[in-house]
Amino acid sequence: GTSAAGSARLTLWFFANQLTVHVRAVMSGLIYLMIADVKAYAASKAAQVTTQWGPEEQAYGLIEWGVEDNNGYRLVFAEEA
């Protein structure tokens, strides 16, 4: 999907795994993607991903929607509350 905010633009490309053996992600962190209107984005994409949490407002001032991609990476779509 593509999200545009002001002059910033983020494009994510997802490819089918072409390996004969599926390899899980090896990373102990989260990848944060700051976007506008997290709740609307989550509603439009929820059927296509595995939701881990949210969308919900966190105590530190972000609205977050956490998902796991097809390679096991945790992506967090977020915006300031």
Side-chain angles (χ1 to χ4, degrees), residues 1 4 6 16 24 26 28 30-31 35 37-41 45 48 53 58-60 68 80-81:
R24 297 291 296 168
V26 180
S28 61
L30 302 170
I31 300 169
I35 65 170
D37 204 350
V38 170
K39 292 178 182 178
Y41 188 71
K45 301 296 182 187
Q48 301 169 3
W53 70 87
Q58 303 295 339
Y60 40 86
E68 184 172 308
E80 291 187 24

Side-chain angles (χ1 to χ4, degrees), residues 7-47:
S7 62
R9 183 181 182 114
L10 168 69
T11 302
L12 302 175
W13 293 66
F14 298 95
F15 299 96
N17 187 349
Q18 296 181 11
L19 299 174
T20 56
V21 177
H22 184 72
V23 179
R24 297 291 296 168
V26 180
M27 185 178 98
S28 61
L30 302 170
I31 300 169
Y32 272 76
L33 304 162
M34 301 301 290
I35 65 170
D37 204 350
V38 170
K39 292 178 182 178
Y41 188 71
S44 72
K45 301 296 182 187

